[in-house]
Each structure stands twice: as C-alpha cells, then as structure tokens.
Amino acid sequence: NAGVMQNPRHLVRRRGQEARLRCSPMKGHSHVYWYRQLPEEGLKFMVYLQKENIIDESGMPKERFSAEFPKEGPSILRIQQVVRGDSAAYFCASSPPSLAGAYTQYFGPGTRLTVL
Amino acid sequence: GENVEQHPSTLSVQEGDSAVIKCTYSDSASNYFPWYKQELGKRPQLIIDIRSNVGEKKDQRIAVTLNKTAKHFSLHITETQPEDSAVYFCAASISGYSTLTFGKGTMLLVSP
C-alpha cells in the first residue's frame, strides 16, 4: 500500500507565477489535509477536503490560494501570483473515515516551494 | 480555536538517558493527541497517539501520558539512541472536527 504521494517534491517559481501542488492520498483514504511549514516552525493547518467538498478552509489565506479534491485524480493546492512569503514546505496528509471521530493522519513527503 | 504550547524547544541528552517533551492545550473538547517525529527534510511520521479515554500509552521505548484535568500531555523516550535525534511535534484534535493543531516542535539531540 503506497503512502501519501506528493509532487513535485521541489518547485521553484518567480514572483507573480502560479504554483500547483498535487497530493494523492493513501489507498482507501477519503480525507485530505494541507499544512504549511515555515523554516524552524510547526505545521499550520490550511484546508481540509473530502472528495468534491471543502470541509474547512479556515487556515487558508482568502486571496491567491485555492484547493480542490475532485472525484477523480489528486488533490490540488493552487497558489496564484506567488510572493516570496509563500516560500515554505507544503505537506499533505490523508486519513481514512473513522467511526471514532478523530482521524489518524499520514503525511506525504512534502513540496518545497521556493519563490525567487 | 485550539492552541498548543510545546516545551522545550530544544533538548540535548546523552545516549541512554531519558527525554521528556511536554505540551499543553487550551480547548477542553480536544480528545485526540498524536506525536510526530520529523527528521531533517523528511515527512512528519506518526510515532504514537493517545485518546482522551486513557491516561497513558506505551510502545517499546516511547510512552505518552495525558492529564485531561490539567490539559497537558507528555512524550517520554527512554534509553535514547542517536537515531532518535529529530524534531518532535505534538498535536491536538477535537473529535468530529479532525484538523490537527500542532505545537512548534522540540529539536531532540542525542549525543553518543
């Protein structure tokens, strides 16, 4: 059973360009979460999605950032008109449905975004 | 919203010693507390977790304790080894609302 997959692993963009980050959850997992990690800091929640639904986007900036998890294919985190402050590691996590209510999350290897 | 505080930010121990990392949380509704280990440039990996219906959980050299009244939980690593060196993150989650709130991490250095 392959783990959570993310691509690309490294992404370099110039200011004003768009960044598209992809996440394929573990097989059987229907919940996807995106987190951002700045250097020497913890992980900050951005958005929580299920197939075709955004459940919670309270941690995502209102402008320039969007996320989707279509019926088919990976989840996409899209950052438009990137700025230097967007440089960070972006981690995706997935979890299975859980009757217990709290879900164990498994992380992907991350995408390290550098904005020049 | 939930707020998780983690201490210390760095911890240096000699191989074979024990290491303890402590976290406090603010929301009494939180009931799931995982711990992640992150090596440099790698993904966070779940090492142990605890739910609020138990006070302690062990897995070989790793244990986690939870005090719901005081709203704090701790990670205990015994007989530390150099390969335990990494950044450790605690997190908290509210049942039915599964996003994780993380602490800022503890860099553990185990010297041979």
Side-chain angles (χ1 to χ4, degrees):
Chain A
N1 187 6
V4 179
M5 309 286 285
Q6 287 187 249
N7 67 81
R9 296 290 306 277
H10 300 274
L11 183 61
V12 179
R13 285 288 178 266
R14 295 191 180 279
R15 282 178 295 169
Q17 291 184 319
E18 178 180 288
R20 291 171 70 89
L21 288 61
R22 296 175 185 79
C23 169
S24 296
M26 288 177 69
K27 186 176 181 180
H29 287 194
S30 55
H31 302 244
V32 166
Y33 314 81
W34 286 94
Y35 294 85
R36 177 163 63 179
Q37 186 176 37
L38 294 170
E40 299 184 6
E41 289 196 14
L43 296 111
K44 299 288 188 185
F45 165 74
M46 298 181 72
V47 61
Y48 164 33
L49 310 104
Q50 296 179 20
K51 286 282 188 181
E52 300 184 279
N53 281 306
I54 296 175
I55 306 302
D56 181 0
E57 56 183 349
S58 60
M60 198 156 66
K62 295 286 188 288
E63 298 180 353
R64 303 188 298 108
F65 286 73
S66 62
E68 62 176 6
F69 189 14
K71 187 177 181 181
E72 301 291 337
S75 175
I76 306 286
L77 179 67
R78 183 184 179 203
I79 311 173
Q80 295 178 292
Q81 299 173 346
V82 296
V83 300
R84 289 218 173 106
D86 297 332
S87 296
Y90 291 83
F91 287 94
C92 163
S94 73
S95 69
S98 168
L99 294 177
Y103 312 110
T104 301
Q105 297 184 21
Y106 299 91
F107 281 80
T111 294
R112 280 149 185 84
L113 172 65
T114 301
V115 180
L116 302 177
Chain B
E2 176 66 281
N3 182 50
V4 177
E5 299 284 340
Q6 183 172 349
H7 300 280
S9 56
T10 59
L11 179 59
S12 294
V13 299
Q14 292 290 121
E15 183 176 2
D17 288 350
S18 294
V20 180
I21 302 170
K22 299 181 180 181
C23 289
T24 60
Y25 60 99
S26 60
D27 195 326
S28 55
S30 289
N31 67 350
Y32 174 64
F33 307 93
W35 286 87
Y36 287 85
K37 175 185 180 182
Q38 187 178 30
E39 297 176 0
L40 188 62
K42 301 286 183 64
R43 75 183 75 194
Q45 290 195 303
L46 180 70
I47 55 171
I48 196 168
D49 57 11
I50 191 168
R51 298 176 193 269
S52 60
N53 57 346
V54 298
E56 184 175 5
K57 184 177 178 180
K58 287 184 179 180
D59 183 3
Q60 300 183 330
R61 296 186 296 109
I62 295 173
V64 58
T65 58
L66 171 65
N67 183 326
K68 286 180 59 180
T69 303
K71 290 191 283 188
H72 67 71
F73 56 112
S74 300
L75 178 71
H76 304 252
I77 306 174
T78 58
E79 300 173 23
T80 54
Q81 302 167 3
E83 50 265 39
D84 293 330
S85 296
V87 179
Y88 291 79
F89 292 98
C90 62
S93 172
I94 298 173
S95 177
Y97 186 81
S98 56
T99 60
L100 293 172
T101 300
F102 283 86
K104 291 193 173 182
T106 297
M107 179 177 288
L108 174 64
L109 299 172
V110 182
S111 303

